[in-house]
Amino acid sequence: MDDKIKVLLEEISVFKAESKEQLEQFRIRFLGKKGLLTDLFGRMKEIEPALRKDYGKWVNELKVKAEEKLGEFRSSFESNDEPGYEGDLTLPGENIPLGALHPISIVRNRITEIFSRIGFYVSEGPEIEDDWHNFSALNFPEEHPARDMQDTFFINLSPPYSLRTHTSSVQVRVMENSKPPIRTISPGRVYRNEAISARAHCFFHQVEGLYIDENVSFADLKQTLLYFAKEMFSPETKIRLRPSFFPFTEPSAEMDISCNFCGGKGCNICKHTGWVEILGCGMVDPAVLENCKIDGERYSGFAFGMGIERIAMLKYDIKDLRIFSENDVRFLKQFTGI
Ligand SMILES: [Zn+2]
């Protein structure tokens, strides 16, 4: 065996690292990029061909021994990462405070769960939307005053894009890409160009629902939403529908629920009427179905949409919408464990 290799093998076998630094020096000396082994392997071509095979074997052996030594000390240093720690290892650890889901997430999950039980699946879509999916397909022609009710933030491109004003845009995408029966809800963030106050914000969250099949009637709409109100608030909850207008439904209605705080007797929250408004709904306008290539003669359907913040405010008696996006831990930690 080559004398030089013998000497190195001996050096490795007696090596003992007393610190991580010493071990690192050892690694660099033998196994580093410019270390001895790289050098020895590089000399292979200078060796006489007849001896080359043996030489290769010895250098390999040297490499294996160096790696073994490195591994042996490395593990002994790692398992001893905190030298000098003499505390009582049986003491309980420090408390890690438990986080909470954001109330918007809690309510969104609850709404999703209630509707999934009666066959609605979740669909999602982009927050930056083109004019067709956010407005035109939903019967908001350009220059129509209904667009003013949903002013938003526009991206100066041609054709223009905007931040979606509702998740109805997702419903358009679902209708364009699937065939009835369709039973879907679309939760997500939406945007409006509104002055920020206790009751309005430039962004909020919605869940919109859509059901399209043969022979879907207003009675189905009413029954579905009654089921939802009872599950979301309490089994005693009543609903009432008031006529309203939306470009994409006909007829359209606003739905109120009996006030959950006073049981309908009248209180501050329901402004002494016994009722609070929670969502808008209606039968999908046949023109919208046709826009989305669905036969409006054969199919009918209903749609509804609600603000998640609104539901959360009613459920947890929250007075100011802005608190949802202020990241105040004193507010958020009240939802721990829900
Ligand atoms: Zn009340």
Side-chain angles (χ1 to χ4, degrees), residues 45 63 89 93 136 162 165 167 178 200 225-226 249 261 297 318:
K45 42 187 182 308
K63 186 179 173 208
L89 294 174
S136 299
S162 58
T165 57
T167 58
S178 50
L225 293 179
L226 177 62
T249 46
F261 293 94
E297 297 283 325
I318 296 164

Side-chain angles (χ1 to χ4, degrees), residues 46-96:
E46 296 164 20
I47 305 293
E48 277 178 55
L51 300 173
R52 222 172 258 171
K53 198 176 159 197
D54 279 342
Y55 177 84
K57 213 170 79 185
W58 297 331
V59 180
N60 245 329
E61 190 185 332
L62 194 64
K63 186 179 173 208
V64 170
K65 294 281 183 213
E67 281 171 345
E68 275 175 8
K69 200 60 140 186
L70 186 69
E72 178 190 321
F73 281 99
R74 196 172 261 170
S75 57
S76 77
F77 285 129
E78 271 165 13
S79 58
N80 248 328
D81 239 0
E82 288 182 65
Y85 183 76
E86 287 170 2
D88 180 354
L89 294 174
T90 62
L91 286 174
E94 271 180 52
N95 261 344
I96 298 169

Side-chain angles (χ1 to χ4, degrees), residues 12 19 28-29 43-44 70 75 87 111 210 251 258 274 285 296-297 326:
I12 291 172
S19 66
I28 293 168
R29 175 165 157 78
R43 288 195 190 171
M44 188 79 95
L70 186 69
S75 57
I111 296 171
L210 177 72
S258 52
D285 193 311
E297 297 283 325
E326 278 171 357

Side-chain angles (χ1 to χ4, degrees), residues 252-310:
S252 305
E254 305 268 5
M255 186 174 100
D256 300 336
I257 57 165
S258 52
C259 177
N260 217 32
F261 293 94
C262 62
K265 286 189 201 77
C267 66
N268 279 335
I269 288 162
C270 58
K271 298 194 191 94
H272 303 281
T273 63
W275 296 95
V276 283
E277 183 189 323
I278 64 158
L279 57 82
C281 57
M283 300 304 290
V284 179
D285 193 311
V288 173
L289 295 178
E290 296 293 336
N291 284 343
C292 300
K293 312 273 182 284
I294 289 175
D295 182 354
E297 297 283 325
R298 182 173 167 198
Y299 295 104
S300 55
F302 63 77
F304 56 87
M306 65 188 98
I308 300 179
E309 279 83 349
R310 173 98 184 122

Side-chain angles (χ1 to χ4, degrees), residues 198-219:
R199 301 180 60 84
H201 212 294
C202 58
F203 72 87
F204 59 99
H205 299 78
Q206 269 194 335
V207 176
E208 297 224 346
L210 177 72
Y211 178 27
I212 296 174
D213 202 348
E214 291 178 14
N215 303 315
V216 176
S217 74
F218 203 90

